[in-house]
Amino acid sequence: MPDTTPTGLTRLAFGGDYNPEQWPETVWHEDVRLMREAGVTMVSVGIFSWALLEPSPGEFDFGWLDRLLDLLHENGIRVGLGTPTVAPPAWFYREHPDALPVTADGTRYEFGSRGAICHSNTDYRSAAAAITTQLATRYGDHPALALWHVHNEYGVPVSACYCESCAAHFRRRLVATYGTVEQLNEAWGTAFWGQRYTDFAQINPPRVTPTAGNPTQALDYKRFTDATIRENFVRERDILHRLSPGVPVTTNFMTALSQCDSIDYWAWGREVDLVTNDHYLITDGRRTHVNLAMAADITRSVAGGAPWLLLEHSTSGVNWQPRNPAKAPGQMARNSLGHVARGSDGAMFFQWRQSRRGAEKFHSAMLPHGGTDTRVWREVVELGAAVDSLSAIRGTRTQADVAVLWDWQSWWAQNLQWRPSEDHDPRERADAFYEALYDRHLTVDFAHPEADLSAYPLVVVPALYLMTEAAGNNLREYVENGGTLVVSYFSGIVDEHDAVHEGPHPGALRDVLGLTVEEFSPLLKDERIRITGPDGSELSGDVWSEFVVPRGAETVWTYADGLAAGHPAITRHRLGEGSAWYVSTRLDVHGLDALLGWAADDARIAPRADLPHDVEVVRRTGESGTFLFVINHSALDAKVPLEAHGTELLTGERAAGHLGVPAGAVRVVRLDG
């Protein structure tokens, strides 16, 4: 069984994607010298190199890669070797144009970008297996090899294909899933609008239709797409396991909800040997460090709490957003060590040397166009030394305080056509609840709705439109056994087939919440409503309201205006040893903080008022000790209380009582004992 950590790597991973094929070989020796100066321990190689490795069908050229891997090994730099299957060569598409994906409206993409792949195409599958076999046979025991990196960022820029090959593949999956067309008709609700099928051969992918199509068909196609892509990963992974035993195999995820919405990472996390992730700041005016923390927490959760690896992020600006600002001085270190605090055993970048040509020539890199006399390079060298000083944390685990439930399949279902309000965005609710927990200085694990939740005093459900009966029973058991649950509106509504649970809303959550919802009453654009508490205080909501009927729950806050005036807005249900809170409108930041404060009191989570705003404190612990990461994102110096003495690893200073953290700085204390 392969290890789950990069082979032969004794320190944290530090480095990035290395694309030496873009440069003359005379540059390679300079690259390696500068890598050593920067403290690089590992690089990713060969991810987009298929056209060089196999310049014509069945003819391979490995000479340049032989020389490169030998050079890296001689200089003590480990290698994550890519299978280049994200970018088939031009000759392949010339011979197999049907391997290019087709959109729902029938448009076939052209060669000239990346990731333009029909994952059902048998010619692509055969060619991908062949190049993977060649690489594994040649380099499976190379002394520089630390990790196999399959493909690149599955699911982006395109995941679904709607061609005839995919149609046939989809039908085979439906037969395996439902057995008979009668069972499919029942699951899909095809009695509606006369959509009934009498043969699986009549079924196509959910291509463009005059109006809304069958939502369960669309949901099943999303599942099919994800599973088909995953089949191709597993095929390459199994080749590598067979020919390169003991070397871990991964592929780089994009778990941030801002970056990929077509992959069920709960399923993918079970298939890789080591969970790795790419993360890029979305500079849309939000607090980017909160999105970063959330992505890192999701990635760690997909890894089951085990250490994972940040395989890509940027040293400064990216190139693909409408506006691509540079990172502020010190931000690169805060970003990198923020991922490390939340479970990454290293910090890798895209890419090592900034490209002069191609679509990403303005994407920042470890070695910029300006060379070594630049701020970015100096910060890279400083960060390399900092990462090296933290090697003792390898293998430790981040400790979480609370859980947030999230399910990619529920997100897919929620985002299908014709929902009660286009203003309700499950990602926005997940972001909002996460930010409120972050500002209460609580570290979050994400969990699947059917996962064991017994370790968490507080569980939050920001948006789970689709919820199975098993998930509903899981949450009821959690509360009965003493847990505190917080649920936001439009959750628990449908089952795994997008069918409304029988009986009143909220279906799978009726019993645990102790209420029913007679009717949704979404609000008009920019409409706001007031809700009042028992002491006369007010909170504000928008987007959504409901006619809630308590069935055992107590009314805590009430709608003061709108169609639901006089009806409960926030309820609390004591069930067994625990309690379940429900909020039926979209609360603003102030309201979310108040709600989570009440729930935290129920869960006996003590407030952390002694921690400054935008100063995150995260703990990693394991056999090598307990490590406290303090990251100051604010413009003010901060003091953070310490419960024990320790040594600050980045400066070597002793710390006791309080830890001083300058504005924009990071400190990591190894606690005594």
Side-chain angles (χ1 to χ4, degrees), residues 269-310:
R270 295 189 291 269
E271 300 294 350
V272 296
D273 299 325
L274 168 67
V275 167
T276 62
N277 195 54
D278 296 353
H279 181 263
Y280 293 99
L281 300 180
I282 303 299
T283 50
D284 58 359
R286 304 187 191 204
R287 298 158 70 199
T288 56
H289 57 279
V290 179
N291 175 271
L292 184 154
M294 183 177 178
D297 284 345
I298 293 174
T299 308
R300 182 186 69 253
S301 302
V302 167
W308 54 279
L309 180 58
L310 176 66

Side-chain angles (χ1 to χ4, degrees), residues 85 117-121 124-126 128-129 132 150-151 154 169 226-239 268:
T85 51
I117 296 163
C118 167
H119 283 274
S120 294
N121 185 271
Y124 167 75
R125 290 183 170 205
S126 296
T132 299
V150 171
H151 205 269
Y154 281 107
H169 194 179
D226 174 66
T228 301
I229 296 171
R230 195 162 60 250
E231 286 173 7
N232 285 349
F233 167 75
V234 168
R235 181 174 288 102
E236 291 189 45
R237 180 203 65 192
D238 289 350
I239 292 170
W268 281 76

Side-chain angles (χ1 to χ4, degrees), residues 184 192 423:
L184 177 141
F192 186 79
D423 295 325

Side-chain angles (χ1 to χ4, degrees), residues 280-361:
Y280 293 99
L281 300 180
I282 303 299
T283 50
D284 58 359
R286 304 187 191 204
R287 298 158 70 199
T288 56
H289 57 279
V290 179
N291 175 271
L292 184 154
M294 183 177 178
D297 284 345
I298 293 174
T299 308
R300 182 186 69 253
S301 302
V302 167
W308 54 279
L309 180 58
L310 176 66
L311 210 52
E312 286 185 28
H313 71 311
S314 66
T315 57
S316 192
V318 298
N319 70 295
W320 40 263
Q321 298 184 81
R323 298 161 191 84
N324 298 287
K327 290 185 178 180
Q331 188 178 0
M332 181 203 307
R334 292 196 302 277
N335 290 170
S336 301
L337 298 181
H339 285 289
V340 174
R342 294 176 185 271
S344 176
D345 270 1
M348 306 275 286
F349 294 92
F350 180 84
Q351 58 181 324
W352 162 253
R353 181 184 283 268
Q354 197 167 15
S355 300
R356 291 185 57 226
R357 298 174 176 85
E360 294 186 288
K361 56 182 169 287

